[in-house]
């Protein structure tokens, strides 16, 4: 497989999970479009590691590899296809690498919602710090919480009840996932801080979480997506 086709496979995997982005992307500055998709594809790799099922050993090894890879980007020695796009950005890659082990610990079932949020706080902060540099948007307001809540929402989407804190399970497992979605939604304002691409991505993810909190399917149409992401992108 060539470097170009390997890169396309990672980008296409993310686009397949987020088909709405094709409608939103025209609102992203043209110079940032390929960068945004590569970045979100990288975060998806980390989401997949966080939400792994079964034997975690291969995923843990992959995460360790990613830690080494991110640290190498400071010296422009990327090995991964996504690095060809992302490495030139002089972002705090080493700080993100340092936070990656938190994903392993965050797999364990949390006792309470606060514990689940705390487990990924440093990771979310590292992600937000990279985005501030990558998309040339100095941090204003709380840029960490939107990343944190979106990561936990994605975990709920992928892992289901296994992602729900035990305190909510004790109140009844049938609606536990819905209650956890409602809890996360309460911490996720409709308009979030951060770069334009994060605000737009968050608006798409928040729509999915809203549906989960209501026990329904997301109402996704091109027009709804267009209006939603336009509004989010305005800041």
């Amino acid at each position: 497989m060539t470097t170009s086709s390997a890169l396309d496979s990672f980008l296409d995997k993310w686009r397949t999970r987020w088909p709405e982005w094709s409608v939103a992307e025209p609102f992203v500055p043209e110079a940032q479009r390929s960068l945004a998709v590569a970045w979100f594809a990288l975060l998806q790799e980390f989401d997949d590691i966080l939400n792994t099922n079964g034997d975690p050993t291969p995923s843990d090894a992959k995460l360790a590899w990613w830690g080494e890879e991110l640290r190498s980007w400071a010296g422009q020695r990327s090995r991964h296809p996504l690095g060809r796009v992302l490495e030139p950005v002089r972002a705090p890659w080493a700080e993100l690498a340092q936070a990656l082990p938190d994903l392993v610990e965050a797999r364990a079932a949390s006792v309470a919602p606060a514990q689940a949020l705390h487990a990924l706080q440093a990771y979310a902060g590292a992600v937000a710090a990279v985005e501030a540099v990558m998309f040339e948007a100095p941090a204003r307001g709380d840029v960490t919480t939107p990343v944190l809540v979106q990561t936990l929402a994605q975990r709920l989407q992928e892992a289901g009840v296994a992602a729900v804190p035990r305190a909510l399970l004790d109140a009844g497992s049938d609606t536990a996932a819905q209650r956890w979605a409602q809890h996360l939604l309460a911490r996720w304002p409709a308009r979030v801080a951060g770069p334009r691409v994060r605000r737009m991505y968050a608006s798409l993810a928040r729509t999915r979480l809203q549906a989960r909190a209501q026990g329904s399917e997301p109402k996704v149409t091109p027009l709804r997506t267009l209006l939603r992401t336009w509004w989010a992108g305005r800041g």
Side-chain angles (χ1 to χ4, degrees):
M1 182 180 291
T2 65
T3 299
S4 178
S5 60
L7 173 61
D8 288 342
S9 71
F10 284 99
L11 302 182
D12 290 345
K13 184 168 69 169
W14 182 80
R15 288 185 181 278
T16 297
R17 294 191 191 181
W18 294 93
E20 308 98 306
W21 191 254
S22 63
V23 177
E25 194 167 42
F27 296 125
V28 178
E30 189 171 357
Q32 294 183 355
R33 290 176 189 173
S34 61
L35 197 63
V37 176
W39 171 239
F40 293 146
L42 176 62
L43 294 183
Q44 179 174 277
E45 293 298 301
F46 298 153
D47 283 337
D48 289 345
I49 291 170
L50 170 63
N51 301 320
T52 189
N53 291 316
D55 180 9
T57 303
S59 291
D60 292 351
K62 186 176 182 181
L63 190 68
W65 184 92
W66 269 116
E68 295 176 2
E69 173 73 356
L70 291 177
R71 290 183 179 92
S72 76
W73 289 4
Q76 297 183 312
R77 298 189 304 273
S78 65
R79 294 168 290 173
H80 196 279
L82 291 173
R84 304 295 190 270
V85 180
L86 299 173
E87 178 199 76
V89 180
R90 300 294 86 196
W93 299 117
E95 287 80 356
L96 178 57
Q98 187 174 351
L100 290 184
D102 290 355
L103 299 176
V104 176
E105 296 183 14
R107 282 195 211 119
S110 301
V111 174
Q115 183 181 355
L117 291 160
H118 178 74
L120 288 169
Q121 183 78 29
Y123 168 75
V127 168
V130 170
E131 291 182 349
V133 175
M134 182 177 296
F135 301 112
E136 301 175 355
R140 295 187 180 91
D142 181 3
V143 294
T144 298
T145 296
V147 178
L148 173 61
V149 178
Q150 186 169 339
T151 302
L152 288 168
Q154 187 64 27
R155 175 156 171 71
L156 177 61
Q157 181 74 21
E158 299 295 329
V161 175
V164 178
R166 289 199 295 268
L168 299 181
L169 288 172
D170 292 342
S173 59
D174 289 346
T175 57
Q178 186 174 347
R179 288 196 301 276
W180 182 221
Q182 292 166 353
H183 186 96
L184 292 173
L185 198 62
R187 299 182 63 89
W188 197 346
R191 190 182 292 278
V192 303
R196 178 185 295 182
V197 295
R198 168 57 63 177
R199 298 196 306 267
M200 293 168 59
Y201 188 21
S203 73
L204 300 179
R206 191 177 186 276
T207 298
R208 295 186 180 187
L209 186 66
Q210 279 181 309
R212 189 71 181 257
Q214 296 165 1
S216 61
E217 291 296 320
K219 296 179 180 178
V220 179
T221 67
L223 180 58
R224 285 175 183 268
T225 299
L226 185 72
L227 294 175
R228 185 178 296 113
T229 51
W230 170 80
W231 181 77
R234 289 184 63 196

